[in-house]
């Protein structure tokens, strides 16, 4: 089989071990004679996968018992709408910290449901940096929304010390499970699975249970968090195969030593590639300012369009996949999610060094 290094931004690389296990179990899950996809979501075998996945996620992220873990569909994009539908009533205001295109989308969707206000935006700096947060009166906002990692621009909140609100919501689609996070700081955390958690199709929502008391009771059942909490994410047919793979990914993360080990590895992986950028005398130019660099999405440009094209074409020939930047910003992007191996990042670094030597003068 062709050797490739997968730097896709999402759907993204999955751990090889996970895919191998899924392959082994594909036709005969737990000696049942059928695949996991063919089991009833109300049957014992599937239910144990479903519940164990929740338990493992709670363990790995140290989620307190006061929170519920939900497995929903509709991607992070449905959360952009469900959050205000459930929690933003007339006369209330939602505050948004805008650090990239996905934060903008989250706010635009919320603005269709209720009143929103931008607390701060990095747009004027072309989202190169995580902006300093101005002080604000907490009681001005029903909730405050933040995006922890900006997949398109390649910036990330290093920590959440500067942000404080009793009802803080974070879109962690592109960095969940990549590092330790203070879950207690948040009312709700949500993430589409297709970067660090598993395949597309399932969205994880971590919700502080007491918030349900404030939720809108008049929504269609499928759009209400309460429905999904009451039914343990089994209100309707869940994406069983995606949740099964999520379960395997969580077991894999645990087997590697949990988030301490993952975080360290992610730091080392990203450092290889940032070093190639920093040692290139400006040939590669990082989009993010150094203090806002993402450990998950490394964005950079080359001196001109032609060189970018040549870089991407030569990279592809050498087996590097998914290095083109997002269509809205161009340039290059290497996504170094959990399942991207260290050797892929080293290989990319070597390729970048070599390309610079060939074309940099
Ligand atoms: C930070 C962030 N939020 C939201 C989304 C949208 O996710 P979905 O496609 O699951 O709706 C993405 C997708 O890349 C993302 O990176």
């Amino acid at each position: 089989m062709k050797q490739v290094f997968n730097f896709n931004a999402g759907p993204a690389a999955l751990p090889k071990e996970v895919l191998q296990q899924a392959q082994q179990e594909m036709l005969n899950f737990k000696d049942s004679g059928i695949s996991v996809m063919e089991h009833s979501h109300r049957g014992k075998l599937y239910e144990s996968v479903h519940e164990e996945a929740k338990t493992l996620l709670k363990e790995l992220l140290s989620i307190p018992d006061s929170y519920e873990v939900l497995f929903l569909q509709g991607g992070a994009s449905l959360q952009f709408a469900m959050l205000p539908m459930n929690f933003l009533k007339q006369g209330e205001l939602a505050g948004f910290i805008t650090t990239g295109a996905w934060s903008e989308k989250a706010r635009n969707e919320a603005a269709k449901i209720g009143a929103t206000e931008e607390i701060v935006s990095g747009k004027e700096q072309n989202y190169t940096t995580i902006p300093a947060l101005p002080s604000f009166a907490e009681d001005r906002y029903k909730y405050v929304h933040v995006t922890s990692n900006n997949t398109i621009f390649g910036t990330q909140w290093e920590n959440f010390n500067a942000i404080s609100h009793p009802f803080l919501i974070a879109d962690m689609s592109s960095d969940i499970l990549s590092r330790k996070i203070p879950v207690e700081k948040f009312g709700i955390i949500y993430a589409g699975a297709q970067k660090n958690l598993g395949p597309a199709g399932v969205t994880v929502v971590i919700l502080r249970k007491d918030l349900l008391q404030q939720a809108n009771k008049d929504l269609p059942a499928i759009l209400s968090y309460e429905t999904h909490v009451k039914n343990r994410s089994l209100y309707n047919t869940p994406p069983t195969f995606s949740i099964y793979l999520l379960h395997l990914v969580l077991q894999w993360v645990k087997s590697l030593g949990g988030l301490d080990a993952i975080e360290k590895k992610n730091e080392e992986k990203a450092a290889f590639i940032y070093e190639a950028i920093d040692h290139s005398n400006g040939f590669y130019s990082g989009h993010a300012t150094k203090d806002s660099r993402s450990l998950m999405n490394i964005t950079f440009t080359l001196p001109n369009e032609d060189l970018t094209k040549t870089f991407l074409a030569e990279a592809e020939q050498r087996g590097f996949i998914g290095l083109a930047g997002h269509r809205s910003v161009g340039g290059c992007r290497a996504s170094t999610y959990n399942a991207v191996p260290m050797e892929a990042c080293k290989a990319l670094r070597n390729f970048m060094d070599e390309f610079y030597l060939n074309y940099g003068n």
Side-chain angles (χ1 to χ4, degrees):
M1 207 172 95
K2 191 170 146 194
Q3 154 89 322
V4 297
F5 302 111
N6 183 359
F7 288 96
N8 274 328
L14 284 162
K16 203 181 229 166
E17 297 87 333
V18 162
L19 295 175
Q20 280 165 339
Q21 186 170 343
Q23 184 182 40
Q24 268 170 22
E25 295 180 334
M26 184 61 84
L27 298 182
N28 184 16
F29 179 62
K30 299 245 187 253
D31 225 11
S32 64
I34 56 175
S35 77
V36 67
M37 283 176 279
E38 299 166 283
H39 278 272
S40 163
H41 61 293
R42 312 258 174 229
K44 268 201 182 124
L45 267 184
Y46 173 72
E47 278 219 24
S48 67
V49 170
H50 191 89
E51 290 306 321
E52 273 174 37
K54 280 189 213 167
T55 307
L56 264 174
L57 192 68
K58 279 188 163 178
E59 184 185 326
L60 289 166
L61 284 174
S62 305
I63 301 173
D65 287 339
S66 47
Y67 288 73
E68 197 73 43
V69 171
L70 300 176
F71 299 142
L72 306 183
Q73 298 185 66
S77 299
L78 182 58
Q79 295 309 303
F80 296 165
M82 267 177 78
L83 289 164
M85 283 176 152
N86 278 264
F87 293 111
L88 192 56
K89 300 197 182 83
Q90 248 200 337
E92 294 174 337
L93 188 60
F96 282 79
I97 299 170
T98 311
T99 50
W102 293 114
S103 324
E104 283 180 18
K105 281 207 173 139
R107 181 183 174 201
N108 291 342
E109 290 298 279
K112 293 175 187 164
I113 312 285
T116 65
E117 185 171 81
E118 198 157 62
I119 298 174
V120 68
S121 170
K123 195 168 185 150
E124 272 189 20
Q125 291 81 39
N126 194 19
Y127 296 127
T128 50
T129 195
I130 297 289
L133 208 57
S135 62
F136 58 85
E138 282 187 355
D139 59 4
R140 183 169 175 78
Y141 303 113
K142 173 64 176 286
Y143 61 77
V144 168
H145 182 279
V146 64
T147 313
S148 57
N149 182 73
N150 302 289
T151 326
I152 294 176
F153 295 94
T155 60
Q156 184 177 28
W157 288 84
E158 188 185 353
N159 58 52
F160 301 98
N161 298 344
I163 317 172
S164 172
H165 192 272
F167 190 172
L168 184 60
I169 299 178
D171 174 0
M172 295 198 183
S173 290
S174 51
D175 66 354
I176 194 161
L177 211 66
S178 67
R179 56 177 175 170
K180 283 172 286 172
I181 43 163
V183 174
E184 324 71 51
K185 234 189 132 97
F186 299 90
I188 297 179
I189 293 170
Y190 64 97
Q194 64 272 20
K195 290 126 176 16
N196 271 331
L197 294 173
V202 59
T203 307
V204 166
V205 176
I206 301 165
L207 172 141
R208 209 174 65 223
K209 291 179 203 168
D210 65 273
L211 292 170
L212 290 178
Q213 289 159 15
Q214 307 172 33
N216 183 352
K217 306 283 176 210
D218 300 323
L219 291 172
I222 191 79
L223 296 173
S224 152
Y225 290 111
E226 197 168 19
T227 304
H228 298 291
V229 170
K230 277 192 180 148
N231 292 281
R232 299 182 293 115
S233 304
L234 290 163
Y235 165 68
N236 66 328
T237 317
T240 53
F241 191 65
S242 297
I243 294 169
Y244 157 76
L245 282 173
L246 162 68
H247 179 232
L248 294 185
V249 169
L250 295 171
Q251 284 179 330
W252 174 80
V253 169
K254 188 173 174 178
S255 76
L256 293 181
L259 292 195
D260 281 320
I262 286 277
E263 186 168 357
K264 193 162 166 281
K265 197 170 144 221
N266 283 335
E267 280 166 4
E268 284 173 34
K269 278 157 45 184
F272 278 122
I273 300 167
Y274 282 122
E275 267 166 32
I277 293 173
D278 292 341
H279 294 167
S280 71
N281 293 317
F283 180 74
Y284 299 113
S285 167
H287 180 79
T289 57
K290 282 192 182 172
D291 57 354
S292 300
R293 282 175 163 178
S294 168
L295 296 182
M296 296 281 101
N297 309 99
I298 301 172
T299 47
F300 57 94
T301 51
L302 282 85
N304 57 54
E305 275 293 309
D306 283 347
L307 272 175
T308 305
K309 277 192 191 138
T310 311
F311 177 86
L312 290 172
E314 287 194 17
E316 200 175 320
Q317 273 170 15
R318 302 274 283 269
F320 297 99
I321 295 178
L323 287 178
H326 188 270
R327 59 192 183 283
S328 64
V329 294
C332 302
R333 170 175 56 177
S335 297
T336 52
Y337 300 122
N338 289 351
V340 176
M342 186 81 75
E343 58 164 22
C345 298
K346 282 187 192 164
L348 178 59
R349 188 227 157 99
N350 291 341
F351 171 71
M352 287 173 74
D353 285 349
E354 193 184 310
F355 191 86
Y356 164 55
L357 284 179
N358 288 342
Y359 293 91
N361 293 311

